[in-house]
Amino acid sequence: MIFAGMFYIATLLLVVGLVYKIFDYSRTPAPLKIPTTPAPTTQKGVVYRMAKEVVLFESLFKSNKWIWVFGWLFHFGMLLVLVRHLRYFVTPVPEWLVFIQPFGKYASIMMVVGLGGLLARRFLVDRVRYISTPSDYLMLVLLLGIGLSGMMTTFVVHTDIVALKEFFMGLMFFDIQPVPEDPIILAHLTMVALLMLIFPISKLLHAPGLFFSPTRNQADNPREHRHVAAWAARLDRNN
Amino acid sequence: MAAAEFDIPEIKETIEVPKIHEGVMAHVKSFPAPKPVQDFMGYPHELGEDWKERAIDKMGDLLGKYRSLKVFLDACVHCGACTDKCHYYLGTSDPKNMPVARQDLMRQVYRRYFTTAGKLFPKLVGAKDLTRETLDEWYSYYHQCSECRRCSVFCPYGIDTAEITMAGREILNHVGIGQKYSNEILGKVQKIGNNLGLPGPALEDTLQGLEEDIEMDTGVPVKLPIDVKGVEVLLVTPSADFFSEPHVESLIGYAKVFHAAGISWTLSSHASEAGNFGLFNGNYETMRKVAMRIRDAALELGVKRIVVGECGHAWRVAYSFWNTLTGIGYGADDPFSIELQKQLDHNYPQPQHICELTNDLINQGKIQVDPSANDDMVVTYHDSCNVARASRMGDMPGGQFIIPRDLIKKVVNNFHNMADDTIYESTFCCGGGGGLLTDDLMEVRVKGALPRVTALNTVVQEHGVNFMATICAICKAQFTKVLPKYGFDMSMVGGIHQLVSKAVKLDAPKQAD
Ligand code: HEM
Ligand code: SF4
Ligand code: SF4
């Protein structure tokens, strides 16, 4: 029951928080054209630029190969792992999802290695140490905790995944089922709920933020198109 | 008050990333603006009782008006990718000159007053109360950022510290701490028409003197017209072009190009300044007011084209913002903009950069050049930050790198680029941009120039480069002052049109279009 409640609350806050933040970003104008140039001159080009940022971390690649390697391992490991987790939420499990299961399993290693590298940088590089706040370390520790406890359940002590699936399916259909009484899985679930809670109020907002970043999402066409924010258009009328 | 003594950094073989040295630049304080200057700008000149509320209110106001500020303050993950990208960090080793740390000066206050996490767990997320000390740090470190956007190229979310710096200065102005240098200039440009405060008659005298010089030099009566109605082109150029060396050599170059191509043109005494320091202070309305002078002059003189001279931040404002601020450009459907846009000749980009214009004229055979006139020169090119990372030339991305180099190669025979990671979008600022070109910030300027000077030194050693061309009035002024401190000759720096000026053939037969 406690776990069911925890997940309902965490999901609610995650969704409400993110929807609010996205609404807030989209209603705040960008009054001036400030794409970092050279920038694409068309909207299509912007989609391509953004896709490269999301999939390849292009700017980060230009900037620092170590952070790029660790960051990319972590994010794409995590993405695969997350996709793999879908099997707890759908019945029957589709072919392709069955197919990626083994990849997802090893992706957890990518994720943990990436996180380890990022954490090491926070200690080892004086510049990064200087800018790190306690929450920066804790966030990595939390994700490492999630990754490692998850790996334990697949690689070390096998969890009763049938019961776990029943628990999540139950949550989805408002038919609460007991959670498997395994300390590792309980720790894993608690940390995931915590991550969901902090997502909309922390730097994890970088995920939606990227899409709203004017230096990346604006087309470079100021001579051809007049771009005016509502609050700024009012100034024109006084002339 | 004399500026503090400091050591000139040593030029190493490569640009090195220093270990951090906390607080080594904390003493830097640009002179604050006195009462009359702040009064004219409509800002208080000292902290009132309620400064804290005013600061937080202003921050809230800006957060509601600028998505850049809101997203940038939220999105940074402290990954550290930008920490070695700022020339001021590379030159000073003060960690607060790392872009992310500069942002954090504001982010910690933002978190404390505007975010749930910062209100509940300030220590955990690095949130801090706004104090007098914070303000002092803002004043110090927001005047050690040239708003060059190098960090925004390398940040995975495009976080542009320049946007934070601008907001920081705007808030400081609102609580009564303005910078003397920038705010004085903003007063002069609005009262007199240009940043140097040259009144119309003085300007006419100067131009007349230049006409005489050119004629003496070349035997050709090249004119520098001002306030002439009904001509084709209005040229808007930084006022330094009228009397500073080496700027004036480029002005002569523009005049020769117009003469050789037979294009009628004029300067304007009302808009005798392309520069717009409103950009540096992050105040939209000031920037708009300053930009409106150009619109007014264009309407008044009835010109068909608006061309901008060699100035980096001016080109950013012209290219990226004029259409927004004043309707100079195309594609508007509101009466305010249409009034001007129907007057402009749609065969040309509006506004057009002088390098675009000259390069096109040479390509079309409308003017002839002889590069051997510059055979004593071995030239390199310094991409100015605002041209490189905040604007474009021509019709394809990156034209701002291609067109100036094309043009240089047409007018000189010996050209060498500096190292790739110090030019194009990765170009290093001259160290004097963004409102820092003042003697009270000399230490910041000299140290901040170190990465560029290091790259320059390499091509000097390897290729015997003896001239660094650039198309920015601030870069020119900064380098003439700073290069000698590193042992280079100040005459090594000049504009592209200084080279054009020597190569262009004035008596060349003009071809019909
Ligand atoms: C659109 C999706 C996303 C994109 C494009 C993205 C991109 C990035 C990039 C480029 C970095 C900096 C490099 C690094 O340190 O790894 C980063 C950092 C980080 N990301 Fe993401 N991310 C996304 C989604 C997420 C999600 C869903 C999570 C959450 C759980 C997450 C957690 C993190 C963390 C914790 C860091 C900081 C790592 C550190 O402390 O060094 N990201 N992200
Ligand atoms: S904008 Fe330029 S000067 Fe300012 S922090 Fe970024 S790199 Fe440094
Ligand atoms: S590169 Fe961007 S996200 Fe990373 S620390 Fe710098 S500003 Fe923050």
Side-chain angles (χ1 to χ4, degrees):
Chain A
M1 269 313 279
I2 299 176
F3 275 82
M6 187 173 82
F7 269 95
Y8 282 130
I9 293 170
T11 311
L12 187 73
L13 288 177
L14 174 70
V15 171
V16 171
L18 269 186
V19 167
Y20 174 74
K21 266 293 172 184
I22 289 172
F23 163 72
D24 190 34
Y25 289 156
S26 50
R27 76 173 165 181
T28 310
L32 292 164
K33 279 281 194 174
I34 58 167
T36 309
T37 59
T41 54
T42 60
Q43 213 47 48
K44 240 175 149 170
V46 167
V47 171
Y48 181 58
R49 178 186 207 177
M50 195 62 93
K52 283 191 293 182
E53 290 294 357
V54 173
V55 180
L56 303 175
F57 297 180
E58 188 188 31
S59 298
L60 185 61
F61 184 78
K62 284 186 215 165
S63 162
N64 188 309
K65 300 291 186 283
W66 281 115
I67 309 180
W68 181 81
V69 168
F70 292 132
W72 201 86
L73 278 177
F74 154 52
H75 282 87
F76 282 84
M78 181 173 66
L79 180 68
L80 269 177
V81 169
L82 278 175
V83 172
R84 185 173 183 260
H85 278 66
L86 279 179
R87 71 185 159 149
Y88 296 116
F89 302 90
V90 288
T91 315
V93 178
E95 282 293 306
W96 65 270
L97 197 51
V98 176
F99 172 76
I100 66 146
Q101 291 301 315
F103 298 99
K105 200 163 150 180
Y106 294 103
S108 59
I109 302 174
M110 276 168 69
M111 175 177 164
V112 166
V113 168
L115 285 166
L118 291 170
L119 189 58
R121 279 185 59 82
R122 290 214 182 275
F123 286 105
L124 298 178
V125 181
D126 65 337
R127 286 171 283 124
V128 187
R129 198 184 322 129
Y130 178 83
I131 57 169
S132 299
T133 61
S135 58
D136 293 327
Y137 293 101
L138 289 175
M139 186 94 68
L140 288 172
V141 169
L142 178 66
L143 282 159
L144 264 174
I146 293 174
L148 289 173
S149 58
M151 281 168 83
M152 300 255 294
T153 63
T154 8
F155 294 112
V156 190
V157 276
H158 286 276
T159 322
D160 183 355
I161 53 166
V162 178
L164 189 66
K165 179 156 185 171
E166 267 165 24
F167 171 70
F168 277 110
M169 296 300 288
L171 282 185
M172 279 169 46
F173 295 103
F174 300 101
D175 168 23
I176 312 296
Q177 301 292 326
V179 70
E181 293 287 331
D182 170 349
I184 296 177
I185 203 76
L186 293 183
H188 186 69
L189 293 182
T190 309
M191 287 187 285
V192 170
L194 185 60
L195 184 71
M196 290 163 72
L197 273 179
I198 59 176
F199 201 102
I201 56 165
S202 69
K203 66 176 187 176
L204 295 178
L205 287 169
H206 67 286
L210 171 59
F211 298 95
F212 289 96
S213 171
T215 57
R216 293 290 182 267
N217 78 2
Q218 288 184 339
D220 172 24
N221 57 6
R223 285 196 285 201
E224 293 79 21
H225 295 278
R226 186 158 197 253
H227 167 97
V228 204
W231 65 261
R234 260 170 265 140
L235 301 172
D236 291 350
R237 261 172 260 140
N238 304 331
N239 277 282
Chain B
M1 210 184 348
E5 291 291 317
F6 60 94
D7 295 328
I8 311 291
E10 179 195 350
I11 305 179
K12 305 267 178 60
E13 229 156 81
T14 54
I15 297 163
E16 289 175 5
V17 180
K19 289 257 164 255
I20 64 174
H21 293 106
E22 277 184 53
V24 288
M25 294 299 278
H27 60 277
V28 169
K29 290 273 178 290
S30 195
F31 294 162
K35 184 169 185 308
V37 174
Q38 290 293 88
D39 281 351
F40 178 78
M41 297 292 296
Y43 296 128
H45 67 282
E46 57 191 6
L47 289 187
E49 289 270 300
D50 59 343
W51 67 267
K52 201 179 280 187
E53 290 83 73
R54 290 175 64 90
I56 300 298
D57 281 354
K58 190 68 209 167
M59 195 161 167
D61 176 44
L62 295 175
L63 284 165
K65 281 181 169 168
Y66 291 89
R67 173 150 34 86
S68 50
L69 188 64
K70 188 176 272 178
V71 169
F72 294 166
L73 288 177
D74 273 342
C76 172
V77 295
H78 282 175
C79 71
C82 61
T83 54
D84 56 354
K85 301 298 183 278
C86 178
H87 50 290
Y88 293 116
Y89 174 70
L90 296 174
T92 66
S93 76
D94 186 318
K96 292 208 168 81
N97 277 329
M98 303 190 297
V100 45
R102 198 185 312 287
Q103 298 158 22
D104 277 351
L105 293 174
M106 183 171 297
R107 188 172 287 117
Q108 61 204 10
V109 176
Y110 165 72
R111 287 204 169 138
R112 185 73 182 110
Y113 295 89
F114 294 93
T115 70
T116 316
K119 284 176 192 163
L120 297 178
F121 314 106
K123 286 256 165 48
L124 189 67
V125 298
K128 284 196 191 134
D129 287 333
L130 179 60
T131 62
R132 189 59 232 264
E133 288 71 47
T134 325
L135 273 196
D136 288 342
E137 280 196 319
W138 284 17
Y139 189 73
S140 183
Y141 290 100
Y142 290 138
H143 291 99
Q144 299 187 50
C145 168
S146 57
E147 304 177 349
C148 77
R149 314 188 93 204
R150 191 168 195 269
C151 42
S152 88
V153 170
F154 293 100
C155 170
Y157 321 114
I159 294 176
D160 179 5
T161 315
E163 294 287 311
I164 314 280
T165 294
M166 289 169 191
R169 293 185 190 174
E170 168 77 343
I171 296 171
L172 286 166
N173 264 322
H174 270 266
V175 300
I177 315 181
Q179 186 210 23
K180 178 164 180 273
Y181 172 68
S182 293
N183 286 358
E184 237 169 39
I185 281 181
L186 279 166
K188 277 189 261 182
V189 75
Q190 293 182 70
K191 282 184 270 192
I192 304 171
N194 55 63
N195 291 356
L196 293 173
L198 285 174
L203 196 53
E204 278 168 41
D205 276 356
T206 313
L207 295 175
Q208 221 167 26
L210 286 175
E211 287 176 350
E212 286 160 18
D213 291 349
I214 303 174
E215 188 157 358
M216 210 132 75
D217 209 37
T218 64
V220 182
V222 173
K223 295 294 168 209
L224 287 151
I226 184 159
D227 295 331
V228 183
K229 286 194 183 171
V231 293
E232 178 156 352
V233 169
L234 167 65
L235 176 77
V236 187
T237 204
S239 55
D241 283 2
F242 299 124
F243 93 127
S244 299
E245 276 295 340
H247 307 63
V248 71
E249 305 297 334
S250 282
L251 176 65
I252 294 172
Y254 319 148
K256 287 183 181 171
V257 168
F258 286 124
H259 177 94
I263 298 172
S264 67
W265 69 291
T266 187
L267 294 157
S268 153
S269 52
H270 179 61
S272 49
E273 175 63 64
N276 189 333
F277 275 38
L279 170 71
F280 301 154
N281 280 2
N283 185 304
Y284 189 98
E285 280 162 52
T286 309
M287 185 159 70
R288 184 172 182 279
K289 267 191 229 154
V290 174
M292 282 300 281
R293 295 156 38 259
I294 288 117
R295 174 191 161 97
D296 296 342
L299 285 170
E300 159 84 19
L301 298 170
V303 293
K304 298 199 171 54
R305 299 167 63 183
I306 302 174
V307 174
V308 180
E310 297 181 352
C311 183
H313 84 279
W315 180 239
R316 175 180 192 183
V317 175
Y319 172 87
S320 294
F321 304 157
W322 273 1
N323 201 353
T324 298
L325 297 171
T326 70
I328 299 175
Y330 297 125
D333 49 14
D334 55 299
F336 169 81
S337 314
I338 289 172
E339 183 189 3
L340 176 69
Q341 300 196 349
K342 69 173 195 282
Q343 177 189 315
L344 300 173
D345 182 345
H346 287 228
N347 292 314
Y348 298 94
Q350 308 283 0
Q352 189 177 30
H353 195 280
I354 187 75
C355 286
E356 290 178 305
L357 176 133
T358 305
N359 202 44
D360 282 350
L361 288 172
I362 301 177
N363 284 341
Q364 294 158 0
K366 290 187 180 156
I367 59 174
Q368 260 87 46
V369 287
D370 171 16
S372 68
N374 284 312
D375 270 353
D376 53 332
M377 300 273 195
V378 186
V379 177
T380 192
Y381 177 64
H382 163 76
D383 291 281
S384 300
C385 19
N386 279 298
V387 176
R389 291 184 283 258
S391 80
R392 174 161 55 99
M393 289 182 204
D395 47 20
M396 61 170 181
Q400 67 271 36
F401 310 133
I402 300 165
I403 289 175
R405 286 179 172 78
D406 263 7
L407 180 53
I408 294 175
K409 288 180 196 162
K410 286 181 179 121
V411 296
V412 306
N413 284 320
N414 314 307
F415 176 79
H416 297 278
N417 267 325
M418 288 179 277
D420 273 354
D421 55 352
T422 71
I423 54 172
Y424 307 134
E425 66 175 353
S426 308
T427 190
F428 277 108
C429 171
C430 63
L436 309 190
L437 191 72
T438 167
D439 284 349
D440 37 303
L441 288 172
M442 193 50 84
E443 179 174 0
V444 180
R445 289 168 54 189
V446 170
K447 293 182 173 175
L450 180 65
R452 168 49 74 230
V453 173
T454 307
L456 173 64
N457 187 46
T458 308
V459 287
V460 169
Q461 303 295 327
E462 286 177 7
H463 302 290
V465 163
N466 60 14
F467 191 80
M468 179 163 67
T470 180
I471 47 174
C472 174
I474 291 178
C475 295
K476 291 173 195 170
Q478 157 78 351
F479 283 129
T480 42
K481 205 64 179 254
V482 164
L483 282 187
K485 311 233 186 231
Y486 286 99
F488 294 100
D489 194 300
M490 64 184 268
S491 66
M492 264 190 90
V493 178
I496 291 185
H497 278 77
Q498 176 172 346
L499 301 168
V500 172
S501 175
K502 280 209 265 166
V504 65
K505 294 189 186 166
L506 288 176
D507 46 1
K510 259 169 263 128
Q511 284 165 354
D513 314 26

